[in-house]
Amino acid sequence: MKTTIIPFESKYAKDFAYLNIEWLEKYFTVEPHDADLLEQCEETIINEGGYIFFAKADTEIAGTFSLIKMKDGIYELGKMAVSPKFQGQKIGQQLLQFCIEFSKGQNWEKLILYSNRILENAIYIYSKYGFKEIPMEENPPYQRSNIKMELVLQNRKSSINIDSV
């Protein structure tokens, strides 16, 4: 089986929603913020400067993730899901590796993600790829979140603005 990572196309919007809803309903519930992102992914993610990618196993969509723009150079890695049919085949790790390489190629500063500690395997993999736990804000975007992690992609040296000297 050959797995390739492909960018978003409108014809895959239903796959994006289905994979994530399937995953969310297994462990949690679909929150209003999830529903907005999943049901209107082109408007809420793509058209707002974000990205969605898919893992395609031969001809089938096996997994997905999104990069949701928070502000210039800082994106939330979100909505990552792999179909139960394809779990255990390292597709999630392939998606994560692609995500990091893509983000570095964009010269972004960092990636943020929100997760839950019951997802021990996911937290382990994020840590393995360099994500570090950081303090959670008072009102995170997802009620289920009890851990926030970041991956610093480049250390931006603070530059002195000549006008302010």
Side-chain angles (χ1 to χ4, degrees):
M1 178 182 67
K2 183 179 185 311
T3 304
T4 52
I5 310 288
I6 60 170
F8 178 82
E9 290 179 47
S10 296
K11 67 182 179 182
Y12 297 126
K14 283 187 175 31
D15 294 292
F16 179 69
Y18 177 78
L19 283 167
N20 277 287
I21 289 169
E22 181 179 44
W23 175 87
L24 284 166
E25 288 179 343
K26 180 178 178 180
Y27 294 100
F28 307 103
T29 59
V30 178
E31 298 177 20
H33 186 56
D34 296 314
D36 290 344
L37 293 171
L38 297 173
E39 292 167 11
Q40 301 161 20
C41 62
E42 268 187 273
E43 296 84 353
T44 59
I45 298 174
I46 303 290
N47 295 348
E48 296 295 324
Y51 299 85
I52 298 172
F53 291 95
F54 297 92
K56 197 170 187 179
D58 292 330
T59 60
E60 231 178 311
I61 297 296
T64 188
F65 75 90
S66 67
L67 290 161
I68 303 164
K69 186 173 183 177
M70 297 176 84
K71 58 184 183 183
D72 285 346
I74 301 175
Y75 283 72
E76 175 193 341
L77 164 58
K79 306 297 167 243
M80 182 177 250
V82 175
S83 167
K85 177 179 173 182
F86 294 98
Q87 287 176 2
Q89 299 178 34
K90 299 200 183 302
I91 289 172
Q93 290 187 55
Q94 289 174 46
L95 285 167
L96 186 56
Q97 196 165 345
F98 176 88
C99 168
I100 293 167
E101 289 168 14
F102 176 82
S103 301
K104 285 180 176 177
Q106 302 297 309
N107 291 317
W108 292 342
E109 187 179 341
K110 61 183 158 186
L111 294 174
I112 302 288
L113 66 83
Y114 295 90
S115 193
N116 187 292
R117 293 177 196 284
I118 68 165
L119 304 171
E120 292 175 9
N121 192 41
I123 304 289
Y124 171 79
I125 291 168
Y126 295 139
S127 297
K128 179 176 149 183
Y129 279 85
F131 282 85
K132 307 272 187 246
E133 184 174 352
I134 60 171
M136 177 90 69
E137 60 266 39
E138 196 171 310
N139 295 306
Y142 310 98
Q143 293 173 4
R144 66 181 166 272
S145 301
N146 63 12
I147 184 171
K148 181 178 181 181
M149 300 177 85
E150 76 173 7
L151 175 65
V152 175
L153 300 166
Q154 57 176 292
N155 289 323
R156 294 195 169 171
K157 303 249 187 295
S158 59
S159 55
I160 298 171
N161 184 340
I162 294 172
D163 297 332
S164 65
V165 177

